[in-house]
Amino acid sequence: MVDIDHLEFGLETFGDIVANEDGSLQTAAQSIRQIVREGQLADELGLSVMGVGEHHRPDYSVSSPETVLASIAAVTKNIKLATAVTVLSSDDPVRVYERFATLDALSNGRAQVMLGRGSFTESFPLFGYDLTDYDDLFNEKLGLYDLLRNEKPVTSSGKFRASLKDQDVYPKTEHGKLETYIGIGGSPESIIRAVKVGYKVIIAIIGGQASRFKPYIDLYHAAAQQLGKPEFPIAVHSHGFIADDEDDALEVAYKNIKANFDRIGLTRGWAPMSREQFDGETKVGSFYVGTPEIVAQRMARTIDQLGLGRFDIVYGAGNQTAAQRERMIELYGTKVVPRVKEILAETAAVK
């Protein structure tokens, strides 16, 4: 059963370069400043979470999300500030902890760490890591991060980092622990790992029907009960675009999401996205595109079907304009979120 009163609605951006009205592209610096404005707007609209991704490539503007989130912290009051994700495998857990503890101080306890292995791999050679160590890097560094998160002196040794002996790390947080999620692409091993460390889970649903992830959510709850670990509400994120007119929403989303996926696909062996594929994703798949009513109906169905506690829309994919991005955020906060809650309440009343 969905807890409507505590249901969270978030936004995530990967820092896509913003387009000007004439089709030219803004600089990375301009795009970063635009994200700060969007974070402020999301806070004013009462949204729950603002997530900013980490990438190290020319089609994205953000390689240091915590810095951007700190700027958003300065102009917001309530919204949680998350990464989407922090690539822990190619980072130093000590520095991750320090940066987020600092963000937590600046934001008065609103920092949220989202850890991932990294679906983009540019950071590995950039920081001197071998991709053949992909799994071992994440497992070892997650173990160290977990020790650091307890905010006590740490003793640790491993293959990929200098050893620590009774080492304290600062600053400490005011509330005693950083809120942490593990981002999951959809594997049983990832679910079990998250359960064992007792962290919250956010599942990336970026293709196909959401219902195919129900077994993973069931596995999470079953494993938590079997291992005696805490059970947290499950979060998901998926791509979306909202506009006042359905045809406009579909055309803007197709142009930009296709360009984005096709560009990434060049390095991953994906075939170019067809219009048929896009239309399938918007009707029954993982793209939440259309008018506020259309998007709300589809979001409510997914939330109810999977029993979610949080839904994040990944916005701004491709080179959308600032006006398109901001209007989408406005519609999401003022139209979609209230309507989703209304639909879920109606659904619960007839069950």
Side-chain angles (χ1 to χ4, degrees), residues 188 191 203 210-222 306:
I191 292 287
I203 302 174
S211 59
R212 67 191 179 95
F213 285 85
K214 186 65 164 61
Y216 296 107
I217 294 173
D218 293 341
L219 174 63
Y220 169 84
H221 291 297
L306 300 182

Side-chain angles (χ1 to χ4, degrees), residues 88-148:
L88 184 64
S89 304
S90 58
D91 212 329
D92 180 352
V94 174
R95 293 297 287 142
V96 170
Y97 168 84
E98 291 177 333
R99 296 196 303 264
F100 273 96
T102 302
L103 174 63
D104 203 60
L106 290 168
S107 64
N108 193 25
R110 291 184 283 134
Q112 190 179 92
V113 191
M114 190 189 297
L115 301 174
R117 294 188 297 173
S119 61
F120 289 79
T121 59
E122 292 82 6
S123 62
F124 289 80
L126 181 63
F127 298 116
Y129 292 104
D130 192 330
L131 278 170
T132 59
D133 296 320
Y134 186 77
D135 289 324
D136 292 339
L137 279 164
F138 186 73
N139 290 331
E140 180 179 308
K141 293 188 176 190
L142 181 61
L144 176 53
Y145 173 86
D146 193 46
L147 293 175
L148 293 162

Side-chain angles (χ1 to χ4, degrees), residues 92-94 129 140-141 144 154-165 167:
D92 180 352
V94 174
Y129 292 104
E140 180 179 308
K141 293 188 176 190
L144 176 53
V154 169
T155 296
S156 174
S157 62
K159 178 181 177 182
F160 303 106
R161 194 195 185 282
S163 299
L164 300 173
K165 185 175 181 179
Q167 181 67 56

